[in-house]
Amino acid sequence: MSLQVGVIGTGMIGQDHIRRLTRVLSGVSVVAVSDIDRNRAADAAPEGAEVFAEAGDLIRSDKVQAVVICSWGPAHEAQLLDCIAAGKPVFCEKPMVTSEAAALKVMEAEVAFGRRLVQVGFMRRFDADYRRLKAVIDGGTLGAPLMYHSTHRNASVPEGLYTSEMPLNDTLVHDADVTRWLLDDEIAGVEVRVPRRSTRGKDLRDPVVVLLHMASGALVDVEISVNIAYGYDIRGEVSCEMGVAALPNRPATVISDRHGIRQAIPEDWRERFIEAYDQEFREWIVAAGQGTATGPSTWDGYAATLVADAALRAVESGQTETVAMRDKPDLYARPVAAVA
Ligand code: NAP
């Protein structure tokens, strides 16, 4: 029987996830949708799906077995707590929550429940190129990782996200999470440097360079440019003791004509990570069908929240700000069985 899913938040990514859940993936159906804007929810609802005015009513509905949260960040905390109270597996888009206090509340509720229910939307962990890069590092033939260079460039910022903090509280979480996962290391401190601003960015603090000090002593630099016009460009290179491993340029048709030789650049995250999003949901559907969650956890969402908070402090202080994590609860220390 297919997993009956309710989707909360039917904006840009909510609509894209509804498309993949209804038209791309199998073993799942979207039976309910909800959005603060009821008309937007009704427009996005697949045929036969019920439209709920209140997210809480969707979560508690008997017809919904698992929930996908795509509302804006500040709404995630209450919606996650409702899912945990209902004992329903939930996929939550990043940022998991927007404060340390909220992250701790969600973590405490899940630990008290006693089983993992939450998967956070860090889709890079499901990207085939990132997985191959991690396999090389884990294989150990290059020795220990010493440095990681991460580049995160967006062509533009959607109107609703236009704040000076956005590069640090919205964008950095992807680089922070993929760094922790690739290097199998925690982030202990964060430094931020702001070069000359792009004149295209109005009030945006853009670009920024973030230095992540890892618990092992490895050092990570992240270039974040959210307004760079030419496209969505994600790169990564790990320098190890005996070699370097880098993400490949995405395979794309090479065009040769009178303008020269060139390859297309993805327009945005939907295009670059389309297969990663599909795979992240493929694995979520299997785990959710078993009443649990496997991929990036509440612990990972908590870590990313602390890093974003430290980055915001660091940009003000000009100093390295410490990331002080609690001890990891056993629930997240257990190895998670791989899901095919
Ligand atoms: P969006 O286009 O603004 O869509 C969010 C939708 O949620 C809007 O329709 C919004 O309504 C609605 N909403 C807000 N509060 C709600 C609530 N309490 N209950 C129900 N619906 C509510 O934003 P988006 O770009 O889709 O982003 C949604 C989430 O996905 C964000 O957390 C974002 O960071 C994340 N995201 C992740 C990735 C990724 O690569 N993993 C990429 C893009 C976005 P109003 O517009 O009326 O407020």
Side-chain angles (χ1 to χ4, degrees), residues 8-15 17 34-37 40 53 55 69-73 75-76 79 93-95 121-123 158 161 170 174 232 269 273 277 280:
I8 300 168
T10 54
M12 203 162 40
I13 204 164
Q15 290 174 28
H17 287 339
S34 176
D35 193 285
I36 216 157
D37 179 338
R40 194 178 301 142
I69 297 178
C70 302
S71 53
W72 76 314
H76 294 178
Q79 292 165 358
E93 264 309 340
K94 61 77 169 128
F122 291 129
M123 75 294 182
L161 284 178
D170 194 79
H174 281 301
Y232 184 72
W269 37 272
F273 285 112
Y277 291 118
E280 114 186 299

Side-chain angles (χ1 to χ4, degrees), residues 185-224:
D185 203 352
E186 289 297 356
I187 297 165
V190 182
E191 234 180 298
V192 178
R193 291 287 174 267
V194 184
R196 176 183 172 185
R197 279 189 193 200
S198 162
T199 52
R200 293 175 24 84
K202 298 185 201 159
D203 300 328
L204 276 176
R205 188 181 287 119
D206 175 62
V208 292
V209 178
V210 181
L211 278 181
L212 303 174
H213 297 259
M214 307 306 291
S216 67
L219 199 56
V220 176
D221 60 274
V222 186
E223 173 199 319
I224 300 179

